[in-house]
Amino acid sequence: MNFKRAVIKVGSALVSPENKGCSGKYLLAIAGFITECQQAGKEIILVSSGSVAAGRQLIQHCSLIPSIPTKQAMASVGQMQMMANWQRFFDVPCSQLLITHGDLKDRERYINIKNTLRILLNNNILPIVNENDTVATDELKVGDNDNLAALVALVSDADCLFIFSDVDGVYDQDPRHNPAAKLIPEISEITDEIYAMAGPTTNAIATGGMTTKIQAAEKAVENGIETYILNGSRNDVFESLLKGENPGTRFRAKQTATKARKHWLKHTLKSSGKVYLDKGAVNAIINQGASLLPSGINEILGKFIAGESVDLVNANSKQVIAKGICQYSQQDLLRIKGCNSNEITDILGFCPSKVIIHRDDMVVL
Ligand code: GLU
C-alpha cells in the first residue's frame, strides 16, 4: 500500500446488514484495517453511510420507501447510533463531520472543511464524514456517499479512495444473473461501456449501487486519486490489501495526486487578487518550502474572499512567484498584513489559521 492519505467509504449494507439498526458484524474487520493503516503511518478519513438504516426502526413509517422528512428523522437519530457503533472499535477518538454539496461548493466553507480535516488528522483523530441529511434538500445534496467520498478525497488532498460495499468490484456482466460474469481487476479508462456494465442498484438499503461508485472513481482518478471498489464483507479482502494486492477493481489514477492538484491550482483556478511579499517571504517560499505568514506581506490588490486563489508577487521585482488558496479575505488581510501570526486574534477577533496560505495549497511558479 503506497498511499499516504486515504478516504475509506463504507456503505449502509455493511453498517446495517439486516437494515435493522447498526451491527458490528462487518465493522470490526474494517476498523482493524483502518487501525493497521494508521499504525503504518497512513492518514485515514472515513465516509460512513448507514444513518438512515440505523435509525429506521426508531421512527414510525408505513412504506418500504419512507418520505424524505421521515428519512431525515431516521438519519438524525441513526447518526448517533452509527457514530457510537464505530467508536467502540477504535482506541483513537472519532470525530463527526456532517457536510452537504452546498458546503463543498462554497469557497469559505470548503476551506473550513479542509482546515478542520487537516487539524483532526494532525491530532491522530479519525474523522468520520456523512452527508448532513437533515438539511440537505435536492440542490444541496450530493445524494449518495460514493460521490461524497470522492469530494472528501479532493478536499482532503487524499491520494487513494477505497469504496467498500458488499460486492467484489466491477463485473463484465451482472454476477447475480450470470454465473460466468468476470470481475474486472483493473480499469484504466472509464468509458460508457464501463457505466453500462454497472446497472442500477437493487438493494433497498443502499442509495447508489455500482453507477455512483464508478462516478466517484471517475472524479477521483481525474484528480490523481487511485480508487478501489472492494467487498468489505470479506476478511480476506483486508488481508490482501495489507499485503499490497488488489482484491477488487482498481481504477488507475491519471497522474499523481500532487501533480493533478498543482496543475489545477496553476492552470484552472483563477486568481482574484495579488499579494505583494517582502524579500524574506519570497526567499522562504522559493527556497525553504514555507507557508505564507502575515509578517511577509507588504501590499494587497484585488477583491477576494477566504478560499479564493491569489497570485503571490515579489514586491521588489514585481514578478509573480507563486499562487495559492488564501485563508483570509482581502479585507481581513489588509488589517493583518505585516503582523505576527500570534497577533491575528487580537486584531480580527478570530484566527482560523496562523498561516495565510498553507504550503499544501500553494504552487511555486
Ligand atoms: N447519508 C445516507 C445515510 O447515512 C447514505 C447515503 C448513501 O448511502 O449513499 O444513510
Side-chain angles (χ1 to χ4, degrees), residues 9 12 48-53 79 82 130-131 133 143-146 205-208:
K9 188 262 171 173
S12 298
S48 179
S49 302
S51 66
V52 174
Q79 179 67 21
M82 197 246 297
N130 194 1
E131 181 142 37
D133 291 310
D144 65 87
N145 276 3
D146 298 319
I205 323 170
T207 311

Side-chain angles (χ1 to χ4, degrees), residues 85-230:
N85 196 31
W86 275 117
Q87 180 66 78
R88 69 194 172 108
F89 298 113
F90 293 103
D91 286 338
V92 297
C94 298
S95 76
Q96 169 179 276
L97 291 92
L98 297 177
I99 54 184
T100 63
H101 203 217
D103 297 330
L104 288 160
K105 280 199 295 200
D106 179 293
R107 285 226 164 276
E108 272 178 286
R109 291 184 190 187
Y110 184 89
I111 199 137
N112 291 341
I113 296 167
K114 190 185 210 14
N115 290 340
T116 307
L117 284 169
R118 186 144 50 203
I119 295 173
L120 289 168
L121 293 174
N122 286 344
N123 284 277
N124 299 320
I125 289 165
L126 175 67
I128 305 184
V129 182
N130 194 1
E131 181 142 37
N132 193 352
D133 291 310
T134 316
V135 301
T137 51
D138 270 352
E139 69 274 21
L140 287 181
K141 241 182 178 168
V142 180
D144 65 87
N145 276 3
D146 298 319
N147 278 292
L148 178 68
L151 297 173
V152 170
L154 283 175
V155 66
S156 64
D157 298 327
D159 50 2
C160 193
L161 169 63
F162 294 103
I163 301 177
F164 287 112
S165 71
D166 56 356
V167 288
D168 288 342
V170 183
Y171 281 86
D172 60 352
Q173 302 170 62
D174 189 335
R176 288 160 303 187
H177 307 303
N178 293 303
K182 281 198 198 68
L183 180 74
I184 309 173
E186 189 95 19
I187 294 177
S188 47
E189 198 69 44
I190 299 177
T191 56
D192 291 347
E193 209 188 338
I194 300 288
Y195 274 109
M197 288 172 191
T201 180
T202 51
N203 187 329
I205 323 170
T207 311
M210 195 49 81
T211 303
T212 55
K213 291 177 180 48
I214 293 174
Q215 286 167 350
E218 190 169 8
K219 276 195 192 77
V221 295
E222 287 294 336
N223 288 285
I225 303 164
E226 185 148 87
T227 302
Y228 291 81
I229 297 179
L230 300 152

